[in-house]
Amino acid sequence: MIRWVWAFLDRPTQRFDECATFWSTITGTQLSPRRGANDEFLTLLPDPALFAVAGVKMQAVTGLGGVHLDIDVDDVTAAVRIALDLDAELVANHKSYAVLRSPGGQIFCFTPSGRAKGTPAPAFRAPDGTLTRLDQVCLDIGPTGHAAETRFWTTLTNWDLTQGRLPEFARLRAKEPMPVQLLLQRLGEDRPTSAHIDLASADIDATAAWHQSLGATLVESHGHWIVMSDPADALYCITGRDPNGV
């Protein structure tokens, strides 16, 4: 059912240009021309020489913003029926796409499949030589709804579910190349499901230092990951994983 998955970074309008420049820089991509009724959308475009397909878009929004998924499918109406049968909620039904909410509260969209299919962008080499790649959307799930939310995303995607290195983490990976995978994180407190971006890094400390020089802020440092906030104060993580996806 799923043809492509987009990580969508929703950022406040007043900080959008700064955020777009930041995310373009740390992913080694170029900003597409703005589009939409209010010029609110853009895509982070990989270097054409890489022959890679984009997997990250951005949207200027009112409020604090966040992260959501756009899921390209062949038949939006059929996909909506499947999601509703899995206890999702229909938020808005537009002519060519639909906005839904997962049982735990995470917003996502079904969008018509198009030309976005092929090889995802490879790891990007930072100025100091460190490899990084934006390759994961982490769903932050409260303990009460964790089992139901895990069942929902596992069934909806039909991706392979594997346990992470810590018991509170599990990962959903597609059976074919996709620009992002899903990390399911069980939180210690109940709250609606939300999402943030994870980047794989060969050296999390070096990557964090570079991001700070570009306007990010270090929030918390853990053994295998560092929590950061971007120029709009949106949280994301730099994680100690192979950026080449091996």
Side-chain angles (χ1 to χ4, degrees):
M1 180 179 75
I2 295 176
R3 299 301 182 182
W4 200 249
V5 175
W6 298 88
F8 231 112
L9 282 62
D10 304 312
R11 294 296 183 262
T13 299
Q14 63 270 27
R15 305 293 296 275
F16 187 77
D17 289 338
E18 184 179 1
C19 281
T21 299
F22 172 80
W23 285 98
S24 172
T25 301
I26 68 172
T27 56
T29 53
Q30 298 295 316
L31 301 177
S32 75
R34 299 275 283 269
R35 60 188 181 277
N38 299 300
D39 289 336
E40 70 269 35
F41 297 109
L42 61 77
T43 303
L44 300 184
L45 300 173
D47 185 338
L50 298 173
F51 298 100
V53 181
V56 184
K57 294 181 180 180
M58 299 187 67
Q59 178 179 8
V61 298
T62 58
L64 298 176
V67 172
H68 75 269
L69 298 170
D70 267 17
I71 302 173
D72 285 2
V73 294
D74 290 332
D75 188 330
V76 171
T77 300
V80 168
R81 290 195 198 100
I82 292 171
L84 294 180
D85 286 343
L86 295 171
D87 295 327
E89 175 188 352
L90 182 62
V91 177
N93 199 9
H94 298 274
K95 183 177 181 179
S96 62
Y97 70 97
V99 183
L100 298 98
R101 183 179 289 111
S102 75
Q106 174 62 42
I107 291 291
F108 66 99
C109 297
F110 283 130
T111 45
S113 58
R115 292 178 297 174
K117 187 173 175 62
T119 303
F124 171 64
R125 191 173 298 278
D128 69 349
T130 301
L131 286 176
T132 62
R133 187 157 69 98
L134 192 166
D135 67 339
Q136 189 165 267
V137 172
C138 180
L139 299 175
D140 302 308
I141 308 167
T144 300
H146 182 264
E149 193 79 346
T150 298
R151 283 194 300 271
F152 172 79
W153 289 104
T154 302
T155 305
L156 184 73
T157 61
N158 193 32
W159 291 359
D160 296 326
L161 179 68
T162 57
Q163 180 59 48
R165 68 178 85 179
L166 297 174
E168 63 267 32
F169 295 105
R171 185 169 283 112
L172 281 170
R173 287 191 178 97
K175 297 173 176 61
E176 57 187 36
M178 291 282 174
V180 292
Q181 61 191 3
L182 299 182
L183 183 69
L184 310 179
Q185 178 180 9
R186 187 180 67 248
L187 303 176
E189 72 282 350
D190 275 323
R191 69 184 194 194
T193 302
S194 60
H196 68 264
I197 291 295
D198 285 347
L199 293 95
S201 171
D203 185 333
I204 61 174
D205 292 315
T207 299
W210 181 47
H211 288 195
Q212 285 177 279
S213 75
L214 297 170
T217 302
L218 192 152
V219 178
E220 293 178 347
S221 184
H222 300 271
H224 298 289
W225 73 93
I226 297 175
V227 182
M228 306 287 291
S229 64
D230 73 5
D233 299 324
L235 296 180
Y236 68 97
C237 290
I238 302 166
T239 64
R241 295 177 292 112
D242 186 346
N244 292 311
V246 179

